[in-house]
Structures are given as structure tokens and as C-alpha cells.
Amino acid sequence: MRSDAVKTGMQQAPHRSLFNALGMTKEEMERPLVGIVSSYNEIVPGHMNLDKIVEAVKLGVAMAGGTPVVFPAIAVCDGIAMGHTGMKYSLVTRDLIADSTEAMAMAHQFDALVMVPNCDKNVPGLLMAAARINVPTVFVSGGPMLAGKVKGQKRSLSSMFEAVGSYSAGTMTAEEVEEFENKVCPTCGSCSGMYTANSMNCLTEVLGMGLQGNGTIPAVYSERIKLAKHAGMQVMEMYRRNIRPRDIMTKDAIMNALTVDMALGCSTNSMLHLPAIAHEIGFDFDITFANSVSEKTPNLCHLAPAGPTYMEDLNEAGGVYAVMNELTKKDLLNLDCMTVTGKTVGENIKNCVNKNPEVIRPVENPYSQTGGLAVLTGNLAPDGGVVKRSAVCEEMMVHEGPARVFDCEEDAIAAIKGGKIVAGDVVVIRYEGPKGGPGMREMLNPTSAIAGMGLGSTVALITDGRFSGASRGASIGHISPEAAVGGPIALVEEGDIIRINIPQTTLELEVSEEELARRRANWQPREPKVTTGYLARYAAMVTSGNRGAVLEIQK
């Protein structure tokens, strides 16, 4: 056992004395040590129930012959962090989570791990850590929130942000906003649409790192507790068979995840996290892979914010495995990939049928013949920008308009809510990228304000920051290179014409090369917004959005 390094032999007598201090018995020390990485806290709605999940995992591990030991991982609630300086601390936690989990697991020599995440950066951070540590590992999330109901209609967090925009436009009263406030988030769990947390929990199933239902069983269902117990039992089976994360998270598995991402219509943030996970296994993931995969992958789901269905509906329709089974009809998945079940993808999904063709469209009748995401390139984004095409209305798939340029999110929001943005405009928000932010803030407030003001079908938004999975509309993020390193987005001037063509995956600034060269010669880097603490260290090491904003020592 790997844990023999801390508990077996005379040299380890001091170590055993510390295990004794924990109240651990000799019998427990003789079993494999299984680390339970608990993301429980009392500030994130998606994490407030994880103590119950952790207790169930511990029971499952013990039932199967292991000794469970809990240690923590942090998590930020993106909704609470949204729209202020706190959002600078969201994406950056992904690497803190990966690093701290790696440190705890290696320092204490666990034989196996069960990861218990739920929200946006927590899931990819722990997937990154799992690849690094490479001991038998199973994931079990806390599950999605049930949708809220307002006036008989299902609603979610994105509805709440858009309600604020509607209030600013004078189309909703304060009392109506308060009703939304009290009803859209009715239970614990990750917010109820196909936002980033649920996207990553579903893709964890596709990668083979979570059991069936990991992404879709609602947080409040007792079935979630049973799933956690089975996860605890299953990690012991993986330990006995020596099945490890790098046996599961292969290049083929990551391409499977990208394919199902297209079918589900996942958050654009998956195009930050899949490259980062791939980086941990030595796979150089090019975000433009998304376009070639999208060309052959039909979009089968329109969950909120793209449509009127929610995670609970996807669960009832057969979940992620049913979506995967639909895709096998077009031979779009590698079915030979190993999973935490000890079986292949093909073996796992073969009997999983689509129970509701209104929630999961059959491949013969998709929402579109192409996938949910697109990567746009052109002289404004030489290294790419990402859009959730499945959440863009038909009128905005091709758009041309004047740039309205803002150097931070707050200025853009003030202009939108102040009525200064009009139909046809292309809002440009820059210096919000991984380095420039620093931290690559999500732009849910401005996209929701645009939608709430009734401009969602006439105004586009482009940024070197990123978007929440709850954003919808012609919202193009991750523009690379970012403004802080002199990318073309830094050279855009008020009134420049920007041309967006999502079907052709192009993003062009209608300015001559000579004029761009003149502007580039006059461009000066901005002083860093943050010069102390973790954000300063992060800004010094982070790469661009098209590379997944991974951290590297800058040479």
C-alpha cells in the first residue's frame, strides 16, 4: 500500500503515534487510507449539503474495507462573487484547489481518493489534481438545484439576473423582482440550468470519473446519498484493480467530453477547463478542436439558459448516459475508454434510453446539426474566442455593428443600464482577461442587463474575460490574445465596425492592417491592477484563455 510510507515499519512509529492521536485503531491503520476531499462550506448553496454526501461516501468506503479520512477543498460561489472584485477570485481558485489537494494527498500518502465537489472551479480543479496524484479516484458531486417556480413557470438564477435588467428597463417592478429573488433558487445544489457547475459535473460522467447520475441527480433526492455510498464502495474496487485517473482521463476520453459538451450545450467555461485538464495528462488541447467536433455533432439539448428545460428534466429523461447513447447512433464516441465502473463507456451506456425526446432530442431531430459551442477566429481574435452558439438567437448568428469600448466591466454595466447602448452595437469589454483582470471575470451582469433591457436580439458582447454558463445571447468571450498582452482587442476604438459570423466561425475588426499597425506601435501596456497577494502571483504565471488559463513559470 502507498500509505505504508506513513504507517508501516519501525521508522514509521512516530507517524503511527500521530494516527493514534487521531483516535485511529490498529485495524483502521491496516486498511487502505482513502482521502475524502470535501468541498463542504456554508457560503455556497451547491456545497451546503456536501457534509451529507461526505458522510455517505465515508460509509461506503468503510463498508468496502477502506479507512476514510476527510480533508477540505475551498470553493467560491460565482453568483455571490459576481459583479464586484470578488469575481477576480473565482477562476483563480481552480489552481488553488488543484495545488492544495495535490499537497494534502502527497503529504499524507493516501491510497485512493473520493472527490466531493459541486461548483464551477471546484470540479475542474479536483479533476486536475486527480490527474496529477494518479491514485484510484472517484468523483461524486453534490448535485443540481431544483428549478424555482415563478407564476407557474420554471425559473433559475439566470432569470434572476435578467429580472434586474428588466427592472432597469422599467418593465418589471421591485415587487416582481422580489418574487423572483425569493423563488428562483429554492433548494441547495448547483444552480439548476446547464451552467458551468452542471456542465462540468456532467462532463465528469463522460470522462469516466463519476458514476451514472453524477451530473444530474438533484441535490435533494435521496438517490444522491445512495450514489455517494456507491462511490465510496467503488473506489475500493478501483483500488483492488489498480484503475487510476490517467487510465481513464485519456486523450480519447477528453475528446468524448468535448463531443458530449456539444450535444448538451454546455457552458463556454468548459473551453477553459477541458484544456486545463488535458494539460495535466500531457495532451495539448487546441480550442479550435471545438469547430471540427461541432461540425459533426448535433445539439440535442436546450437546457436553461438556452431553453425552458432544467437539470431535473435531463435527469428524468435518462441523464448524460442517454445523451451519449443517442450520439452512438452517429458513431461519435470512443466506446472503448475505461471508466470508474471498471467497465468501458460502451458497456456503461448500452441500455440507457432517451425517455423524453422533448428534453433530449433524438439525433434524427436535433436543435441543430452542429454543436452548442463555436470558436471564432479572425484579426480580432487570432488565437480564438468562444461563443455558446446554442444560446444565440437566429438574428444574431451574423451581426455587424459599431464597437462600444469599455476597459472594465463596471463601465459597461453603467452604460447598458443608463440606456447608452442601442440596437446594433457591439459592446467590447477588455482588460478583463486572465492577466488583465486579473482573474478573467465572468460577465453575467452585462449579458443579463442586455437581455433584461430587451437588447438580446440586437446587441453583441465581446470580451477577453469570460461568461457565466447562465449567460445567453451573442456573447463571445476568451478573446485571445487578451488586451493586457497587446492583443488586437486592445487596439479597438469607439465606432470601429466589428463583423461576427458564427456559422463561418469568424470575428473580424473592419480596420486596415496599416491602421492596426499604427495603433499597435502606439499601444502601451497598462499598469497591473493588482500588485500584491495571490492575484499578483497568478497574473505573473497565467497563460491566455485559449490555453485554458493554465499556470506556467514565465520564461
Side-chain angles (χ1 to χ4, degrees):
M1 285 186 284
R2 177 190 180 102
S3 61
D4 285 346
V6 296
K7 63 185 188 183
T8 301
M10 184 54 68
Q11 284 296 113
Q12 280 65 42
H15 305 66
R16 289 194 296 276
S17 73
L18 294 168
F19 282 110
N20 285 325
L22 293 169
M24 193 175 287
T25 65
K26 181 180 178 183
E27 290 82 359
E28 287 175 298
M29 280 187 258
E30 289 173 349
R31 294 178 171 191
L33 290 184
V34 181
I36 315 297
V37 185
S38 170
S39 306
Y40 169 75
N41 63 48
E42 294 183 342
I43 188 64
V44 183
H47 292 231
M48 64 181 283
N49 64 319
L50 295 189
D51 55 341
K52 306 292 189 301
I53 303 296
V54 167
E55 287 303 313
V57 170
K58 288 173 66 178
L59 184 57
V61 168
M63 288 167 64
T67 297
V69 182
V70 179
F71 64 90
I74 64 168
V76 162
C77 177
D78 279 18
I80 295 174
M82 194 71 64
H84 55 91
T85 191
M87 183 45 70
K88 295 178 185 290
Y89 286 88
S90 171
L91 178 60
V92 305
T93 63
R94 185 189 71 186
D95 297 272
L96 277 176
I97 291 160
D99 292 349
S100 60
T101 302
E102 175 193 0
M104 287 292 286
M106 298 304 292
H108 301 104
Q109 292 291 288
F110 289 104
D111 296 299
L113 297 167
V114 181
M115 306 293 197
V116 187
N118 209 26
C119 288
D120 297 34
K121 312 311 164 307
N122 204 243
V123 182
L126 291 179
L127 285 165
M128 291 162 67
R132 291 181 198 173
I133 301 159
N134 203 36
V135 299
T137 303
V138 176
F139 276 66
V140 56
S141 77
M145 183 184 292
L146 293 178
K149 286 189 177 178
V150 181
K151 294 180 172 63
Q153 289 188 313
K154 287 186 178 181
R155 298 291 188 180
S156 62
L157 184 66
S158 54
S159 308
M160 184 70 254
F161 277 90
E162 291 178 14
V164 175
S166 298
Y167 175 78
S168 298
T171 58
M172 189 175 281
T173 66
E175 291 75 20
E176 289 172 317
V177 172
E178 185 177 10
E179 184 178 6
F180 272 76
E181 186 180 327
N182 290 325
K183 293 181 177 179
V184 297
C185 296
T187 71
C188 62
S190 47
C191 295
S192 57
M194 188 54 81
Y195 310 146
T196 306
N198 292 326
S199 295
M200 294 310 302
N201 282 321
C202 288
L203 295 185
T204 298
E205 272 191 66
V206 184
L207 285 169
M209 291 298 294
L211 298 175
Q212 182 181 5
N214 177 71
T216 60
I217 298 170
V220 295
Y221 283 14
S222 298
E223 189 181 352
R224 175 66 55 178
I225 300 297
K226 292 161 65 175
L227 182 74
K229 291 175 184 175
H230 282 127
M233 292 183 240
Q234 190 59 35
V235 81
M236 295 307 301
E237 178 64 18
M238 292 178 69
Y239 171 75
R240 285 186 278 272
R241 296 179 57 180
N242 197 29
I243 300 173
R244 301 171 181 241
R246 289 186 201 170
D247 301 324
I248 297 169
M249 287 192 287
T250 61
K251 176 180 177 180
D252 286 336
I254 288 171
M255 294 308 291
N256 277 352
L258 180 58
T259 300
V260 178
D261 184 318
M262 294 296 170
L264 284 171
C266 290
S267 163
T268 53
N269 281 314
S270 64
M271 296 305 292
L272 280 174
H273 301 320
L274 287 178
I277 295 162
H279 179 75
E280 297 294 342
I281 65 164
F283 171 28
D284 187 10
F285 183 102
D286 186 330
I287 62 168
T288 59
F289 290 163
N291 291 340
S292 58
V293 171
S294 177
E295 283 176 12
K296 57 186 180 182
T297 307
N299 178 226
L300 306 181
C301 299
H302 266 192
L303 290 101
T309 53
Y310 294 81
M311 296 305 297
E312 62 204 65
D313 303 312
L314 179 60
N315 187 63
E316 295 301 319
V320 175
Y321 278 16
V323 175
M324 295 173 74
N325 206 21
E326 283 289 339
L327 295 176
T328 63
K329 297 175 184 177
K330 296 191 73 172
D331 197 27
L332 292 173
L333 298 175
N334 186 317
L335 301 180
D336 296 327
C337 294
M338 179 52 64
T339 72
V340 294
T341 65
K343 299 176 182 178
T344 64
V345 168
E347 290 173 313
N348 285 344
I349 69 174
K350 64 181 179 181
N351 295 318
C352 298
V353 298
N354 180 359
K355 299 175 183 176
N356 188 339
E358 296 300 314
V359 176
I360 304 171
R361 289 275 187 96
V363 291
E364 301 84 7
N365 181 36
Y367 283 101
S368 67
Q369 295 293 340
T370 53
L373 297 180
V375 173
L376 312 186
T377 54
N379 68 347
L380 186 52
D383 294 334
V386 183
V387 63
K388 187 171 182 174
R389 79 158 95 195
S390 60
V392 179
C393 64
E394 189 61 36
E395 303 95 299
M396 292 300 291
M397 295 296 281
V398 177
H399 181 75
E400 181 177 312
R404 305 298 308 278
V405 183
F406 304 94
D407 286 351
C408 68
E409 177 189 8
E410 289 82 358
D411 290 350
I413 292 171
I416 296 165
K417 291 186 175 179
K420 297 179 181 178
I421 302 302
V422 299
D425 284 348
V426 179
V427 176
V428 177
I429 306 177
R430 61 191 180 189
Y431 294 100
E432 291 284 8
K435 282 186 181 294
M440 202 177 186
R441 289 195 287 180
E442 287 185 343
M443 303 291 157
L444 179 56
N445 273 344
T447 59
S448 298
I450 287 170
M453 297 283 284
L455 297 170
S457 61
T458 57
V459 169
L461 195 155
I462 294 172
T463 181
D464 53 7
R466 59 196 179 92
F467 295 108
S468 165
S471 291
R472 62 186 175 100
S475 305
I476 304 163
H478 309 195
I479 299 296
S480 301
E482 63 175 290
V485 298
I489 192 172
L491 310 179
V492 180
E493 294 183 358
E494 188 80 7
D496 285 347
I497 299 300
I498 292 174
R499 184 177 296 166
I500 301 163
N501 192 317
I502 294 173
Q504 294 185 11
T505 66
T506 58
L507 181 61
E508 298 286 345
L509 180 65
E510 296 297 303
V511 173
S512 70
E513 284 300 314
E514 294 77 14
E515 174 60 15
L516 284 177
R518 184 191 67 78
R519 294 180 189 180
R520 190 171 288 110
N522 293 329
W523 178 80
Q524 295 292 323
R526 303 289 179 93
E527 289 295 318
K529 294 177 183 175
V530 180
T531 57
T532 59
Y534 177 57
L535 286 181
R537 295 196 301 276
Y538 180 88
M541 296 180 67
V542 71
T543 59
S544 65
N546 71 298
R547 295 192 56 207
V550 297
L551 300 186
E552 290 184 346
I553 297 172
Q554 305 295 302
K555 298 179 180 178

